[in-house]
Amino acid sequence: QGKQEAPASQAKVLRVAMECGYAPYNWTQTTNANGAVPISGSKEFAYGYDVMMAKLITERLGYDLEIVKLDWDSLVPAVQSGTVDCVIAGQSITSDRMQMVDFTSPYYYASIVCLTNGDSKYASAKGISDLAGGACTSQLGTIWYDTCLPQIPNAKILPAQESAPAMLVALNSKRVDFICTDMPTAKAAIVAYPNMKILDFAGSNDDFAVSEEEINIGISVSKKNPELTKAINSVLDTLIVDDFNAMMESAIAVQPLSN
Amino acid sequence: MLSIEHLSKRFGENEVLKDINFQVRPGDVTSIIGASGSGKSTLLRCINLLESATSGKILFHGQNILSDHVNEAKYRAKVGMVFQSFNLFNNHTVLSNCMVGQIKVLKKPKEEAYDAALLYLDKVGMTSHINAKPHQLSGGQKQRVAIARALAMQPEILLFDEPTSALDPEMVGEVLDVMKALAKEGTTMLVVTHEMAFARDVSNHVVYMYDGKIEEEGEPKNLFSRPKSPQLKEFLSRFTKTDQSNDAT
Amino acid sequence: MLSIEHLSKRFGENEVLKDINFQVRPGDVTSIIGASGSGKSTLLRCINLLESATSGKILFHGQNILSDHVNEAKYRAKVGMVFQSFNLFNNHTVLSNCMVGQIKVLKKPKEEAYDAALLYLDKVGMTSHINAKPHQLSGGQKQRVAIARALAMQPEILLFDEPTSALDPEMVGEVLDVMKALAKEGTTMLVVTHEMAFARDVSNHVVYMYDGKIEEEGEPKNLFSRPKSPQLKEFLSRFTKTDQSNDAT
Amino acid sequence: MSISEMNFLQRMLYILEQYSGSLAKGAATTMVIAIVCTALGCVIGFAVGIVQTLEPKKKDNIFYKIILKVIKLLLTAYVELFRGTPMMLQAAFIYYGASQVFGLNLGMWQAAILIVSINTGAYMAETVRGGILSVDIGQTEGAKAIGMNHFQTMLSVILPQALRNIMPQIGNNLIINIKDTCVLSIIGTVELFFTFKSISGALYTYFEAATVILIIYFILTFVSSRILLAWENRMDGPVNFDLATTDTLAFTSGMMRFPRKAKRRK
Amino acid sequence: MSISEMNFLQRMLYILEQYSGSLAKGAATTMVIAIVCTALGCVIGFAVGIVQTLEPKKKDNIFYKIILKVIKLLLTAYVELFRGTPMMLQAAFIYYGASQVFGLNLGMWQAAILIVSINTGAYMAETVRGGILSVDIGQTEGAKAIGMNHFQTMLSVILPQALRNIMPQIGNNLIINIKDTCVLSIIGTVELFFTFKSISGALYTYFEAATVILIIYFILTFVSSRILLAWENRMDGPVNFDLATTDTLAFTSGMMRFPRKAKRRK
Ligand SMILES: Nc1ncnc2c1ncn2[C@@H]1O[C@H](COP(=O)(O)OP(=O)(O)OP(=O)(O)O)[C@@H](O)[C@H]1O
Ligand SMILES: Nc1ncnc2c1ncn2[C@@H]1O[C@H](COP(=O)(O)OP(=O)(O)OP(=O)(O)O)[C@@H](O)[C@H]1O
Ligand SMILES: [Mg+2]
Ligand SMILES: [Mg+2]
């Protein structure tokens, strides 16, 4: 195993995996506009919140950055096998997952919202109790699906969707009444689907109850590489919530959808 | 009963049958002889509507079969055909080969079909093999079953296309014997054959085809002993040449 | 040259060849006759090692071919075989069919192989068809090419397994003519055949097989005119029966 | 013991134990869809295959000829389109597209079975056409000669033989369907592969879950193919038949030849 | 105009324009992998198929017999295993497993080609075996009879004919590979389907992107299958041959029969 990490430390390259297909966290674009980073083994570029964060971390730690474009399903085996050094792809930190990989401290705190169609009877919902009995879904392997949806009384929870675009298709085709996701994804979605409406219950006392650490999004690193976790944490510790939010705002501003 | 008038057939550029005229009366045993490629099979296939003739008439009991209003399937059921390559249904047993047509086409009840099948299988001496599948039979046995299958439809005329030429020499006899018996019973038959002995001794009319035309026809005795056209002479000489040596046996 | 000693062959329970003994001297033309299933083909296939004999010896120039130390391919190249179903290589032209063995097995240079192929194709009268693929030939033409292919390997002995029984009657003659010519030139031949005329007139030795055994053998004249065993008598009578009627022609 | 302290095998067992219900359900869903859709696909394939082998005769009605031509063209388009594009996208279009554009809400199961069936059908159509054409033309002529019409000929003579010829291909399709059902996760079908994703997504035990799933897939496909093989052999029927009396001629040449050829063909 | 104001068609055009490079690259990757792997798969399939049709003779060395038996068993296991399990999991095991367990770092391209090839090989092995057995046994006997050994027989006589017989199946495999390459996104191969995911994930315009991709897939598979068909026809060679002199016998019966049969077979 030492062998695999050797090239990374020698050349000082940090191999970061992400989907490059999940705006505004990460996406693929054809130019290096706004400071996008080349995708390894391709002529395309990746940008988005995750890429900004990766750039910041590598700059501070003195690494060269290599973005590896991988399917969502392969992010875990890639980091576990040492094919990449870490995954910055909007993964939520759960205790189950922490048994298998190390997570850094959170690099974003995502507030949870619901999305519905503008003409839906749920469009005027003021809290999760107003969503009672609705058909809903969300993305596979997220706390949105595993923790939030079950809190809605009598909700008809359909099988999870494997990606954000697929979950939006399910909503747009009225297969479900609403979906649960985080604010950045929701904001991106309403650009493509202007008739959708964000239901943000934050501040009311009828919101999803999630523990602080569950909504945290972290960077996953192999358990065999605790030094890297420590190093990344040393960078993240210097940032505060406002820094995260500002960075996210600028990512949303330049995402492909906004043009 | 069957009357062919000005029948012709072309495959693309190739005119395979040219203005064919001849008649079959009930009880006739007609043999068609001729070189390979002269159009014998095509003629038989046209009569049985397996090929559609280009022009001309085929009259069956006075009705033109080639007109639009004829029920092909019904006509075919009345005209039995025995092929060189047997064409038994591989997925049916011997018995079922002889029953399926009666049941599906003639709509006979099963018991009746069974009885008829057994009757004709007995006639060709194949009752012991009723449960066999075609691939379990020898060539001669297959052909005998094929004859029984055709007979079971109680056709008014039976067409044979070289029924023995795919058989081992030993098995030729058993099939010819069945055909001779049928001829004796007065079955109307139209036989394409290379067995000159059969053509001469069993049939009462012989048609010689050459290059898509009927070159010569008549009573077998006359045709074989006094062939008029040089082509027929040439044709017959080929057979005597091969068999010559046997004459001395 | 070739000597078969106590050869026997069984397929599972079924003993197909039982203690076969006979010899072929250079220049011999031996015909093997017998009923279907009597083991004629199996005997030929054992000689050419297409089947492995169960016991016994096959001596070729005194050496036992069935012993472990013989190079099968080399032996086979010296023993040509002509099959009932031709078995020409479908993916090669006529010319290439006659060349491929010379080039691959005998390692002859291409030009030499070409010349030899043309020589033997000329012998069987097929030079005009050298560019044809097998499916473009008639049965008789295929068999003539198959003979040329075998000859092109310059074998010491040629085996024929019913070379004419898959042919239309008209084409039998052209193949037999080629075989007669070969016999006249002194080619050593072992021929399984149903053509009694050939067996009697061309070969100098006839072997009659019955039920896996050699029931009778000898000079053709004697064998045909004075058959000893009742089986052979029965067997020969079947042929005369079918041909009888031709005698009068 | 916490999962982080377990070794590979223990984790596999842990997954098996924890998720045995989901795994069983996923496997069952996969198999039901695969079997039902292979069967329906065969029916579609046979229907399309039969139409594709219809040849209008000269004396047929001109309308019949035109309609046949159009139908054949449409069927060819169907076959090419469904064979040539990814099933996952077809699924998305049929399931979500139908409800978005036509307001037609197919149930998930209906949609799943519809999609996989018409896909299998597209593949089978070509196979069936090949199967029908591989049956010797003499069989058709034999049937025609005793007066059977096209439909009777097909049903009593050609199709049973074609079916036997394409059995291996049907088996292949079943195995492909068992595996390809995974793309149905796009419409929310919880089959075996979806179960795997759920497990590996929740626990991040990718390789352990993958090994478990791999074994299950292997068992499903292996057992299926063995069953199909046994069925094929049964379809061939017994090698020998009951002879009412013994016929030595049939025995020495006719009958004995069959096992010889059959053996070579295997 | 912002994307939210566009209609369906405009969005499709926008995607085509914005991502033409990615789409072209994705399509190229897909085709390269599909073609290379189908070719390599055929080679593997032929190798395995030939070994599977080897029959030891009685007089062969006992060691040879045992080794052949063992090799055949292993090959059967290979075929069953790779045919029976999802390629995505195989890809994950080979790519990530090799680097985790053996420290062997395959390049992404090497891994992709390896995986799809051995998968295709497993499918082709059975096809080739069938193709070899479908060549009339008389062809082998004809070759043996003039002294060719097993290898020469295979190379000069049997395989060329088997290849012709299985061409349609090879075409099928190519089309399947074009579509199945999508599972390689698990190891980071950016082929056509992954490109689709990126576009739909960046723009959240699922159906528009799906339509574009569907059309591209259709073009790729359709063109491929037409090319293969043309190739097949070329392999059959001309219907007629050059006759050094005219031979009427061959013309009336021998030659003319061929197109007739060929026509029926189509
Ligand atoms: N479907 C077809 N398409 C084109 N040509 C054909 C077709 N069927 C037959 N022919 C040609 O028509 C001619 C007559 O063929 P046919 O089979 O009727 O001859 P035949 O007298 O039965 O010969 P044989 O004794 O060999 O059976 C031949 O030249 C043959 O090649
Ligand atoms: N591979 C085999 N397996 C089992 N039985 C076989 C095999 N080959 C031949 N036989 C049987 O051996 C016997 C002899 O067959 P063979 O083909 O040698 O006869 P034959 O004299 O050549 O007959 P024919 O004149 O029909 O060609 C037959 O009963 C046949 O069924
Ligand atoms: Mg004919
Ligand atoms: Mg024989």
Side-chain angles (χ1 to χ4, degrees), chain A:
Chain A
Q1 273 74 27
K3 242 189 260 165
Q4 288 148 36
E5 276 145 37
S9 44
Q10 268 166 20
K12 281 271 200 180
V13 171
L14 189 69
R15 288 165 300 169
V16 179
M18 58 185 70
E19 285 173 282
C20 307
Y22 184 15
Y25 289 98
N26 51 64
W27 66 77
T28 306
Q29 58 186 50
T30 44
T31 66
N32 64 353
N34 310 313
V37 178
I39 294 171
S40 176
S42 124
K43 290 196 186 70
E44 299 174 322
F45 300 85
Y47 206 49
Y49 179 80
D50 293 336
V51 181
M52 293 167 148
M53 188 56 74
K55 277 173 77 173
L56 187 103
I57 292 167
T58 47
E59 267 163 31
R60 298 267 180 95
L61 297 178
Y63 281 103
D64 281 340
L65 175 59
E66 182 181 344
I67 300 283
V68 180
K69 181 173 178 169
L70 279 183
D71 204 31
W72 177 264
D73 296 318
S74 54
L75 295 173
V76 180
V79 73
Q80 282 176 343
S81 67
T83 313
V84 299
D85 297 312
C86 65
V87 172
I88 309 182
Q91 293 173 306
S92 341
I93 305 166
T94 70
S95 49
D96 272 340
R97 292 171 177 180
M98 283 174 74
Q99 308 250 351
M100 303 305 300
V101 292
D102 282 340
F103 273 102
T104 64
S105 20
Y107 75 98
Y108 188 67
Y109 302 92
S111 64
I112 294 171
V113 299
C114 284
L115 260 182
T116 186
N117 289 308
D119 54 3
S120 159
K121 64 172 174 172
Y122 297 97
S124 53
K126 294 283 178 289
I128 59 171
S129 49
D130 291 339
L131 298 177
C136 53
T137 188
S138 187
Q139 218 181 325
L140 181 66
T142 59
I143 56 157
W144 313 325
Y145 188 82
D146 295 332
T147 311
C148 298
L149 290 181
Q151 294 175 22
I152 300 169
N154 301 322
K156 287 204 281 300
I157 305 175
L158 302 182
Q161 292 291 337
E162 55 172 9
S163 69
M167 130 182 119
L168 295 174
V169 165
L171 175 61
N172 188 48
S173 65
K174 304 201 166 61
R175 283 286 173 176
V176 294
D177 297 312
F178 53 87
I179 56 175
C180 184
T181 185
D182 64 6
M183 187 56 106
T185 313
K187 279 185 175 167
I190 58 171
V191 181
Y193 298 99
N195 59 336
M196 285 186 187
K197 187 169 183 290
I198 298 176
L199 304 174
D200 187 1
F201 309 131
S204 80
N205 46 13
D206 198 12
D207 193 7
F208 296 110
V210 284
S211 70
E212 185 61 22
E213 68 172 26
E214 267 183 320
I215 60 169
N216 298 344
I217 291 176
I219 298 169
S220 57
V221 181
S222 166
K223 277 197 178 299
K224 290 168 204 138
N225 200 356
E227 302 79 24
L228 182 61
T229 314
K230 240 185 254 159
I232 294 177
N233 275 340
S234 71
V235 178
L236 292 178
D237 288 345
T238 65
L239 303 173
I240 58 167
V241 178
D242 289 342
D243 295 330
F244 294 155
N245 288 340
M247 218 193 260
M248 183 57 88
E249 286 307 320
S250 55
I252 289 173
V254 298
Q255 65 178 326
L257 281 166
S258 323
N259 315 323

Side-chain angles (χ1 to χ4, degrees), chain C residues 40-41 84 161-162:
Chain C
K40 308 182 297 295
S41 297
Q84 175 176 2
D161 190 4
E162 306 194 19

Side-chain angles (χ1 to χ4, degrees), chain B residues 148-166:
Chain B
R149 179 177 70 177
L151 288 174
M153 302 297 289
Q154 294 179 296
E156 302 184 21
I157 177 170
L158 261 182
L159 314 179
F160 291 82
D161 190 3
E162 305 193 20
T164 58
S165 52

Side-chain angles (χ1 to χ4, degrees), chain B residues 168 170-171, chain C residues 11-12 14-17 34-43 45 51 84 161-162 192 194 209, chain D residues 251-257 259-260 263-264:
Chain B
D168 275 357
E170 292 176 84
M171 297 169 185
Chain C
F11 290 111
N14 192 6
E15 191 158 24
V16 174
L17 294 180
S36 189
S38 56
K40 308 182 297 295
S41 297
T42 307
L43 175 57
R45 294 166 61 85
E51 304 281 359
Q84 175 176 2
D161 190 4
E162 306 194 19
V192 169
H194 275 118
M209 287 189 65
Chain D
F251 190 76
T252 47
S253 63
M255 260 175 68
M256 293 308 285
R257 236 165 232 165
R260 177 164 102 192
K263 219 169 138 201
R264 277 180 191 161

Side-chain angles (χ1 to χ4, degrees), chain E:
Chain E
M1 185 163 53
S2 124
I3 194 162
S4 56
E5 292 155 5
M6 295 180 184
N7 64 22
F8 197 86
L9 205 69
Q10 285 168 327
R11 284 184 179 183
M12 274 175 60
L13 291 173
Y14 177 79
I15 289 170
L16 261 177
E17 193 188 318
Q18 281 290 303
Y19 290 92
S20 56
S22 323
L23 288 170
K25 182 126 189 282
T29 307
T30 292
M31 285 310 289
V32 168
I33 293 179
I35 292 172
V36 171
C37 295
T38 306
L40 289 178
C42 286
V43 174
I44 298 176
F46 268 101
V48 176
I50 292 173
V51 175
Q52 296 284 37
T53 48
L54 273 180
E55 291 281 347
K57 267 166 294 178
K58 249 192 229 148
K59 66 176 216 183
D60 279 333
N61 189 306
I62 181 81
F63 282 113
Y64 172 75
K65 283 186 194 169
I66 291 175
I67 290 173
L68 189 64
K69 192 124 202 171
V70 170
I71 291 178
K72 277 189 178 185
L73 213 72
L74 287 177
L75 291 179
T76 307
Y78 152 66
V79 169
E80 294 284 353
L81 198 67
F82 278 85
R83 283 188 353 147
T85 55
M87 188 157 75
M88 188 184 275
L89 295 184
Q90 296 165 19
F93 272 100
I94 291 176
Y95 188 65
Y96 299 114
S99 81
Q100 192 168 14
V101 180
F102 305 110
L104 187 74
N105 274 304
L106 287 167
M108 187 269 292
W109 275 94
Q110 291 151 20
I113 286 178
L114 179 74
I115 291 156
V116 183
S117 298
I118 56 182
N119 244 283
T120 312
Y123 279 97
M124 287 299 298
E126 281 300 283
T127 309
V128 170
R129 204 166 68 94
I132 291 176
L133 295 181
S134 78
V135 176
D136 183 29
I137 183 84
Q139 296 286 312
T140 310
E141 296 193 342
K144 291 265 151 79
I146 59 171
M148 287 193 185
N149 58 31
H150 184 80
F151 191 71
Q152 289 168 336
T153 305
M154 279 288 163
L155 226 62
S156 320
V157 178
I158 307 301
L159 293 187
Q161 296 183 48
L163 182 67
R164 176 63 195 88
N165 289 350
I166 63 176
M167 272 303 285
Q169 207 49 43
I170 294 177
N172 247 342
N173 270 305
L174 177 63
I175 286 177
I176 289 174
N177 279 346
I178 290 175
K179 296 193 296 169
D180 279 4
T181 306
C182 70
V183 304
L184 292 177
S185 61
I186 192 100
I187 64 170
T189 308
V190 187
E191 39 62 61
L192 195 51
F193 203 78
F194 201 13
T195 311
F196 158 68
K197 283 193 194 167
S198 307
I199 297 172
S200 71
L203 300 180
Y204 289 128
T205 50
Y206 191 89
F207 280 114
E208 293 82 351
T211 309
V212 170
I213 287 288
L214 211 63
I215 293 171
I216 297 177
Y217 266 113
F218 184 69
I219 294 172
L220 294 182
T221 53
F222 191 77
V223 171
S224 306
S225 73
R226 292 300 121 156
I227 291 175
L228 278 165
L229 219 61
W231 190 15
E232 256 182 67
N233 284 336
R234 242 197 52 192
M235 276 176 86
D236 284 339
V239 167
N240 297 318
F241 59 96
D242 299 325
L243 207 59
T245 70
T246 357
D247 178 327
T248 43
L249 186 67
F251 191 75
T252 47
S253 64
M255 262 174 65
M256 294 308 285
R257 234 165 234 163
F258 170 61
R260 176 165 102 193
K261 278 203 187 138
K263 219 171 135 201
R264 278 180 189 158
R265 224 180 272 150
K266 278 259 170 75

